[in-house]
């Protein structure tokens, strides 16, 4: 739901609308360039368990949803999946790019300035995985090429008050809180017990 909210938030130019509200203005043209999600392509980079759940929800909007995954054969879904070797090609076609990557050396600065500039002009980028994949310096340097960004994670957390990310326009930053909601603890315990139960069955077999 956090990912869906983020895409709708950016797609409908809500940062500009919030400024409009704060200024007590009545500018109805700020959203004139927004397009229906159903006419756009969403690329999920890191199509694991969480990525697949997000993909199914996003696809219900009518959007074209594709994914990037290290092991294409293990996707087990009808969502179109491509290998990391096709990442440069795929980011050039997507309107919204969602990062759901784990941390580690393999994902370190995966979306550097070069790759950000390969993205479709005006594309929105979202990071709900780990902050190491998208550094502030690269995002700032490529900002003129992008439409905006929604970050739930950053490479340094908490994000310092002095970070230039706070100064960018058309950006939303949340404090690594996409998993913070009322029922999280109960659902986490439930999923953990199911996972442990499946592991026991596999071991027994």
């Amino acid at each position: 739901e956090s990912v869906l909210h983020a895409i709708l938030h950016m797609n409908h130019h809500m940062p500009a609308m919030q400024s409009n509200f704060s200024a007590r203005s009545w500018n109805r043209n700020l959203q004139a360039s927004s397009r229906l999600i159903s006419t756009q392509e969403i690329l999920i980079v890191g199509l694991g368990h969480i990525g697949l759940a997000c993909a199914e929800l996003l696809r219900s909007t009518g959007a074209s949803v594709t994914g990037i995954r290290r092991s294409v054969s293990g996707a087990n879904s009808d969502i179109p999946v491509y290998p990391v070797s096709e990442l440069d090609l795929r980011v050039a076609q997507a309107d919204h790019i969602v990062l759901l990557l784990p941390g580690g050396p393999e994902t370190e600065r995966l979306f550097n300035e070069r790759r950000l500039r390969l993205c479709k002009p005006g594309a929105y980028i979202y990071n709900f995985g780990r902050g190491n994949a998208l550094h502030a310096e690269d995002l700032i340097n490529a900002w003129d090429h992008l439409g905006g960004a929604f970050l739930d994670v950053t490479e340094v957390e908490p994000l310092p008050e002095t970070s230039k990310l706070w100064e960018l326009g058309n950006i939303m930053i949340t404090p690594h809180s996409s998993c913070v909601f009322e029922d999280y603890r109960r659902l986490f315990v439930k999923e953990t017990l199911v996972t442990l139960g499946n592991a026991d069955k596999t071991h027994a077999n």
Side-chain angles (χ1 to χ4, degrees):
E1 289 185 7
S2 295
V3 171
L4 175 60
H5 161 259
I7 291 176
L8 292 173
H9 184 91
M10 300 308 297
N11 188 66
H12 291 288
H13 306 311
M14 292 312 295
M17 294 301 291
Q18 288 171 328
S19 297
N20 193 52
F21 171 80
S22 297
R24 302 187 181 189
S25 178
W26 194 261
N27 186 348
R28 297 186 66 204
N29 296 318
L30 292 176
Q31 293 172 303
S33 62
S34 63
R35 297 182 293 132
L36 293 175
I37 292 291
S38 60
T39 67
Q40 300 181 62
E41 180 172 331
I42 302 172
L43 176 68
I44 297 178
V45 184
L47 199 69
H49 177 69
I50 295 175
L52 284 171
C54 290
E56 292 296 340
L57 179 59
L58 293 171
R59 193 162 62 168
S60 69
T61 67
S64 172
V65 182
T66 58
I68 294 287
R69 182 183 168 98
R70 182 169 52 185
S71 175
V72 175
S73 60
N76 193 27
S77 170
D78 59 350
I79 300 290
V81 184
Y82 303 94
V84 178
S85 60
E86 291 194 30
L87 182 56
D88 287 353
L89 174 64
R90 297 299 160 184
V91 297
Q93 300 175 12
D95 301 285
H96 303 270
I97 301 163
V98 182
L99 309 186
L100 292 172
L101 294 160
E106 290 186 357
T107 59
E108 181 66 27
R109 222 163 183 171
L110 186 65
F111 274 74
N112 54 25
E113 182 182 354
R114 180 195 70 83
R115 181 158 283 135
L116 289 171
R117 290 194 175 279
L118 289 177
C119 294
K120 187 176 184 178
Y124 295 96
I125 191 158
Y126 309 79
N127 197 359
F128 284 85
R130 291 294 179 265
N132 71 305
L134 177 63
H135 284 214
E137 179 183 359
D138 295 315
L139 185 59
I140 291 168
N141 288 341
W143 194 246
D144 61 319
H145 181 75
L146 301 169
F150 193 114
L151 309 176
D152 187 56
V153 293
T154 54
E155 79 268 22
V156 177
E157 295 183 0
L159 184 64
E161 293 182 8
T162 56
S163 173
K164 292 183 178 179
L165 287 176
W166 298 112
E167 302 172 13
L168 296 176
N170 214 30
I171 192 170
M172 182 65 186
I173 301 171
T174 49
H176 205 147
S177 58
S178 63
C179 65
V180 179
F181 61 99
E182 183 178 358
D183 224 17
Y184 173 77
R185 188 184 299 271
R186 181 186 68 81
L187 293 174
F188 176 78
V189 171
K190 178 181 178 181
E191 183 173 353
T192 300
L193 292 175
V194 169
T195 302
L196 291 174
N198 291 337
D200 288 342
K201 291 178 183 178
T202 301
H203 182 70
N205 291 337

